[in-house]
Amino acid sequence: HLSGLQLRRETDSYRRMATSQRATRERKTVNYKEPGQIPLSILEKDYTEKEDKIDEDDDFEAPRPASASKAARKRAKTDGGSAPGTPSGGGGKRKSGNMMGPPAAISANDSLSGIVLNKASAIPMAAKSWWASFETDPVTAVHKLTNMVLEMTGCRKTLPLACFQEDDETDMDVDDYIKQLVEHYTSASGEGELVPLLSGANKLAKRNQANFADFWEKWVSHAPEAELQILHENPFCPWLHAMSTSQLQPLRIAAATVGLEIMLALVGKANDTLDNMSSLQRMYETAKGVQKDRLKEQLDSKREIRTNAEVTLGSFFNSLVVHRHRDINHEIRTKSIKAIGELVVRYKHKFLDNSYLKYVGWALSDKHQDVRLAALGAIQSFYTENLANELEMFTSRFKERVHQMRLDKDKNVQLLAIETAKTMAEKELLSADQVEEMYHLLKEDDASVRSAVADFIQSTYVDQDLESAYEVAAKKTPKNKPDKETFMLKGMVEMISAVAGDMHHLHPLIESLQTQMPFLSEVGLLCSVLLEENEDDSLEADQRVTLAEMLEAVMALATRNTGNDDADRFQGKKNVASKSGKEACLMVAQSLPALLRKFGADAEMLEPLVLIVDHLQMDSFSAKDKVLHEVADMVSDVTLKAQSDDLLDACGRALANLLDSEYAARSAVQGRLSTLLTSLVGDVRKASNACNQGHKLTVLNGMAIKRATTVAGHVDLFAMDPALRQYVVVMLKAVAENDEKGKLPGAMISDIMVMGVAYVGHRAGDEELKDMTEVLEVRDCVLECANEILRSHNVTRVLKNTAMVAIGDLVQICGRHFTGKNDGDMALSPDAVAIYEEASNIVLSSGLTYEYNAEPSMQAMWRQLPEDNTDPSCTVRLAAMTGLKVIAYHDGCHEETLAKLVCNQLMYSNYNGKLHNDAVKVAMENAMVEDSGETASFWLTVHQQMYQRIQEALVENTAEENVIAKWSENMVNSVSTLKLESDDTAEYVRAAVDWILTDEDGSLPRTIFLGSLAIQAKNLSKEQAGDMLVHLEDVCRDNSIELRAKANDEDSPVELIRVFRRRLQDINEGAAKRGGAGFKTPSKNNAHSRQMTPNTLDRGGAKSRRGSSQGSQQGSQQGSQQGSQSGGQKRRGRPSGGGSSKKAKANAASDEEDEGGDEDGDGWTNVSESPVSSKKSRA
């Protein structure tokens, strides 16, 4: 030690001497052995000024060390370094960013907050120096520390020293000072002064957060032992508690961070004490005599330190965590729960108790995903740290909630819940039912969730259940052990059959599982198990179907043919074989004929087996491979015998691959399939002749049409026999012109229309076709047939569904391919979809629901429909989706018809809320007319249609109030989310004002529409708003509307016009907050939030307020948020800790729920991003 000290002294002397050589060489930077261990007094010296003096010195004398007080030199000597103003260490490489060369005067960078923000390596010495200053001047030290927290919050105005002195003459306590400061920053004068430094997710904010947390860890680690034992009595603690309960969220965040970091640092100290006690206890047990007495004294001292540390921890927990775990700010709640989790893991001696664990359990039901994620992370750490035995009561209380979170709406929470459940299952903490329910997540749409569940299955089912079962089976027959992979495969088949037996395709499920279980991808293994004869361990019938579907999925994944998209259906497809896919194709092709022969009478088994043919990469086979001939014969035989829709569809896909792909044996395979194709066309000819002769078609005729229709959807039968087109035309005309009931069953009519659409689709892909006469004939026959079905009152919903789908498909095909093709325009006529629009309107507005029984408000036409097994909501969804096709693809349609179609899409949403939102987005993106000059008038026509339908429903009492409210809400959403060009927006608002204020009887019922128009008006420029003000005044003057006198009723038309005018004035003046003098944020006391439809309508002689959706969705948004504000407190209500009444009031105030609001500052809540949260708020 003395040698090292002498070396440092010699080194320091050498450096001082070297400084005098500045005239001949560059001055070197002093390096420190311990970066950051610099006395704070050094940072407060004028280093720059010293350099200036040295540069001006002509004699180049060595600079004197900075002078320091005797106490400072003594403190520096005690700390093991040199006196302030001199380097405190030997050589060694210094980290970049070390704080050398501080500014001359004391500036912001020299304060504690400046060090935290800009001089992270000086944090340890800053903390040590603070404690040294606290010993001499505690008031100034606490003042400096408190202001550091305020400065880190972003407060430019801090507290004066007088607030901390005991002789303060004002009758104010700590809470009053903090409250006064907070009031300044929440008032209008201080609103822009607060610049939070600890908030945000950017790189700078994260660095500040890390440095801030590091300061408090060092602050505790450098605290004197005496101060550490009574840290909860430190004069800084009342200020910390007052800041943690303030109304200013950034301040609460900073204060909560301080308190939690102090607790975690104290835990580290307490753990060190426990470790020392363990060592001392072992020494004490073996010691004797005087040494034993000395060790006993040390043990007692350590016990006292530990007791004091636990008292301090309890005090901080009760004053901080108990209140902040339910704070309004989710970031504070997240920090609190994370801290509790760390406390439990790091200091089990105190915090592994239900009185602390309950806060983590409660957080599992928090409304914010970050808090739920923190709670799950804490619980995950409990079980990974092997605390399960001490958590029996906690586990029994909250394991069901953890299990429920596997279905959480947030994906990150869902994934962590699955991971936590996996850890719990490994420790046998979940029941068998809960484990099995986890398996069902294999059917989730999200690939990451399926992957997590696959890992769960590997850990719990394969590694535990199947492994133990295999060991038992191997012991029973030690001389003839079962093959392990075969045993595992059968076990997985049993599980998948029980979990996902109802799934039509297992592609996503197998894709997730085969990563964890490679044996699932072995095609030969799957085929061999399928070909097994009946044995003791053979699979059940339903399990064999599952195994066949697994084989089909494996082949689809191997050949990358996993989709069901038939984009290449009409143009043929070419397969490109990969090495692994080629090997799989060759292997499965050898077993496929045997599999088809074995299960030739089982339709359920045949569907996945035949579908495997669709996945074969045909260029994997050479011309000499005879296996394809056998496969083609088997597929042909199955097609002629198949009756189910799914099996016929599989046969059609297999035939398309065999006939349309390019491969060596194609001509030979086509020759073998020609007999099948001739038979299919011949059966259609027989049905056509019978229909032409007026005979009633038999069941066999219907089956033949269905078979040919399904195959024609995949294979161009019309190119193989052109006469097939004429057969279809004859039957379509018979359907359109037939007046006799029952001659053609509904299923046959559907198949005939579908075959006609297939013909049009195939011809659309034929670039060599010049004469479109035959194509147009079939197209018009399909349209006429479909329109006749939609007009009829005596057909089933199934047939009406097919008619709507047929029209939508034809519009899509014709709009995409035929418009402007060849010599003339082959698009549909402008009135081609008029009948479809009427039917779509009736279906979408009928009130059909997911139940089979119809609503009382159903339209008369749909009351008279014959009963069938079709889900009524399916009809509504089909009408919505086919309507999108008509809107997106049909060019040249009458503008009025197109406006009605768009109105149908935007207004009616009873089929599915999420699906409706997607449909609205597509409709609004594709319904714009080409001429921008007509865009504004078109959209105004759409909204006028919506308004008029709502008005008619109110007057005629044709819909329930809640239905009308939803229609009105959809209208408001449409207006508020409409995005137009600047000129189109101005034209839209101008035309809307003319329509609203022009009324023959002068009652102006349409003025309530101004609430929606105000949302659109905010897109106007200043100049446009000024022009609109002039136009508004002119229209009011022309219609004798007086705006000078203020109306008594805020719902009156004149008052609504006045409010709209103020909105335009705000925009024209460029006001920073347009909501200040315009339409204010809707609330329950605002006319616009209460209703959007006419406020006085005569319904049976009495005036009635039939509100729409609370006027605008903005109103319902605010209402729902206010509802949650009152209910959320009860949801998160928890026992609170002790404290004074003043502090309790502050806690209660800061524990309120989040306020809803105006995110863009325009006085209106963003409708498109803030959907109504409950039915009650919409009522």
Side-chain angles (χ1 to χ4, degrees), residues 990-1024:
R990 177 184 294 271
V993 168
D994 293 341
W995 171 66
I996 292 169
L997 301 184
T998 303
D999 187 28
E1000 296 180 357
D1001 60 4
S1003 60
L1004 299 174
R1006 293 192 289 262
T1007 50
I1008 200 68
F1009 191 81
L1010 288 172
S1012 298
L1013 190 62
I1015 305 172
Q1016 188 63 228
K1018 71 179 182 180
N1019 298 320
L1020 297 172
S1021 64
K1022 293 182 180 180
E1023 294 76 12
Q1024 291 172 336

Side-chain angles (χ1 to χ4, degrees), residues 37 59 181 457 515 554 608 620 795 818 933 950 1077:
Q37 303 299 319
D59 297 332
L181 185 69
I457 292 173
T515 305
V554 169
S620 302
V795 296
F818 288 175
I950 295 172

Side-chain angles (χ1 to χ4, degrees), residues 1090-1129:
R1090 288 199 296 272
Q1091 63 182 49
M1092 181 56 69
T1093 54
N1095 54 357
T1096 54
L1097 290 174
D1098 189 1
R1099 174 178 283 179
K1103 290 186 177 181
S1104 171
R1105 285 182 177 270
R1106 295 294 302 272
S1108 73
S1109 76
Q1110 303 143 291
S1112 62
Q1113 186 182 4
Q1114 292 82 357
S1116 60
Q1117 164 82 11
Q1118 183 74 8
S1120 65
Q1121 289 170 338
Q1122 290 176 348
S1124 64
Q1125 191 170 2
S1126 61
Q1129 183 71 18

Side-chain angles (χ1 to χ4, degrees), residues 732 735-739 753 780-796 799-804 807 829 831-840 842-843 860-862 864-866:
L732 286 171
V735 172
E737 299 171 0
N738 182 30
D739 294 330
M753 283 193 297
D780 294 339
C781 287
V782 174
L783 280 175
E784 185 178 357
C785 181
N787 287 335
E788 190 64 30
I789 292 172
L790 293 178
R791 290 191 192 99
S792 176
H793 292 201
N794 300 319
V795 296
T796 62
L799 193 52
K800 286 187 177 290
N801 292 348
T802 306
M804 286 190 291
I807 293 176
S829 61
D831 59 347
V833 294
I835 296 176
Y836 169 81
E837 187 280 322
E838 295 177 5
S840 175
I842 293 174
V843 174
M861 171 181 174
W862 293 91
Q864 299 172 5
L865 286 181

